[in-house]
Amino acid sequence: MSRNPENREQFRPDGHDADHFLLTTVVGSYPKPKWLNRANDLAEDDDSKFDADDLAEAHDDACRVITHEHERAGLDTVVDGEMRREEMVEFFAERIDGYEFNGPVKVWGHNYFDKPSVVDDVAYDEPWLVDEFEFTAGVADRPVKVPITGPYTLARWAFNEAYDTDADLAYALADLVNEEIEKLVDAGARYIQIDEPALATTPDDHAIVGECLDRIVADIPEDVRIGLHVCYGDYSRIYPEINDYPIDEFDVELCNGGYEQIEVFADGEFAPDLALGVVDAHVADVESVAEIKRNIEQGLKVVGPDKLTVSPDCGLKLLPREAAYGKMENLVQAAREVEAELDDGEIDVPAAEDAAPADD
């Protein structure tokens, strides 16, 4: 289902010349300035005079820089690049009562993850992201999107030592995410992205994720846009079930796979808006505008242009910063050129227009 097909229009920039509007955004993470990595190292050095206040100032400066970088690229909605976050589970586990850390575990090759344990009932204490959002919104001239790790991933990517099942833990966490989003909405947030990469590795749990989303959006106004990002996996194992999710937008990672799975969604029944990755987050080569335009047209096989969001495949934090910016700049230019061609009737999308189902 789509919660509210009209809530994307609020992100159309003032003075947008085209009749059509392809919403451009980023998934979340972005390369950190090298000096911020140095600041983080200094803050962890007991012999350094660089203290917590200095690090907070460095984080503020980095958030300001990256937010403006996204605006300079022309994105319709921006994030701060998650400059204050190191890892998508640890960041939240450190802020949720009931979690504790016991040291890193090996996940693959020589890579380690500081996997937390849930040792007691999870509980909400202080807001997780409100200060981050308010700072970013204060320095941005464009709408700010807030990415937040979803409860299913927060449950699956932790050792569960307190709940009977991982599903019970996920539902408890979903109630906390709902509480956090309510506070974000009160602070002015209108675009929330729920990140559930764990669903790609355990797609048979799609019903658990659906129940979590029901809890997350409870009492959240319909003018608040809710997106769901799921990293690369076998999407056929969660579609068409995702049509029943209470979301406005489903964000998929297809560029890296050459759009082999685009036909999974092209059945004429796809219900939410489609957020399509049109640049590859895994390679540093910057796609040309012409290539990105061809990628955007892949999305028009599924939905009409009034239901298409254009983004990278995933977070860009592992790329060189120059490459990340180049991808964003070309992404925006490609979207604007496709809009103009749609206005001029140069792109024929009647199948996609017909495929977009009426909302219940």
Side-chain angles (χ1 to χ4, degrees), residues 301-338:
K301 297 177 180 179
V302 179
V303 296
D306 59 327
K307 291 174 64 67
L308 185 60
T309 298
V310 179
S311 70
D313 254 356
C314 201
L316 300 175
K317 69 177 182 179
L318 298 180
L319 294 179
R321 189 168 153 204
E322 182 178 352
Y325 181 79
K327 287 172 182 280
M328 295 303 89
E329 191 174 43
N330 285 2
L331 178 155
V332 171
Q333 183 177 341
R336 302 290 90 102
E337 290 186 11
V338 169

Side-chain angles (χ1 to χ4, degrees), residues 196-203 229-235 238 250-262 280 282 313-314:
E196 289 288 15
L199 179 57
T201 61
T202 50
H229 172 69
V230 178
C231 296
Y232 187 82
D234 184 355
Y235 292 119
I238 59 174
F250 186 58
D251 190 307
V252 293
E253 182 178 341
L254 292 180
C255 185
N256 182 255
Y259 299 97
E260 291 181 357
Q261 294 192 68
I262 194 70
D280 193 340
H282 303 279
D313 254 356
C314 201

Side-chain angles (χ1 to χ4, degrees), residues 34 70 95:
K34 292 182 176 63
H70 287 170
R95 290 158 173 78

Side-chain angles (χ1 to χ4, degrees), residues 113-145:
F113 163 49
D114 200 3
K115 187 173 180 177
S117 297
V118 178
V119 298
D120 202 349
D121 289 351
V122 294
Y124 189 91
D125 185 13
E126 297 295 325
W128 312 334
L129 300 172
V130 172
D131 287 347
E132 175 184 301
F133 167 74
E134 289 181 334
F135 179 87
T136 307
V139 302
D141 291 325
R142 301 194 178 203
V144 174
K145 181 168 75 172

Side-chain angles (χ1 to χ4, degrees), residues 84-85 91-92 95 124 126-137 146 148 179-189:
R84 306 177 199 276
R85 313 184 199 181
F91 178 88
F92 294 96
R95 290 158 173 78
Y124 189 91
E126 297 295 325
W128 312 334
L129 300 172
V130 172
D131 287 347
E132 175 184 301
F133 167 74
E134 289 181 334
F135 179 87
T136 307
V146 183
I148 181 170
E179 191 169 351
E180 175 66 13
I181 292 176
E182 286 182 343
K183 288 182 168 54
L184 285 164
V185 170
D186 288 343

Side-chain angles (χ1 to χ4, degrees), residues 202-240:
T202 50
D204 292 337
D205 283 353
H206 53 74
I208 297 173
V209 174
E211 170 63 23
C212 286
L213 289 165
D214 284 336
R215 292 170 180 246
I216 285 171
V217 304
D219 300 322
I220 301 301
E222 288 191 351
D223 65 342
V224 176
R225 188 168 181 80
I226 302 291
L228 175 67
H229 172 69
V230 178
C231 296
Y232 187 82
D234 184 355
Y235 292 119
S236 68
R237 294 177 66 185
I238 59 174
Y239 185 79

Side-chain angles (χ1 to χ4, degrees), residues 7-41:
N7 67 21
R8 78 190 301 273
E9 191 64 20
Q10 65 187 300
F11 305 110
R12 179 191 288 263
D14 293 338
H16 187 72
D17 293 333
D19 292 333
H20 286 91
F21 174 49
L22 303 177
L23 175 61
T24 61
T25 188
V26 285
V27 172
S29 68
Y30 196 79
K32 289 181 170 62
K34 292 182 176 63
W35 52 261
L36 181 60
N37 293 326
R38 175 59 176 154
N40 288 326
D41 292 341

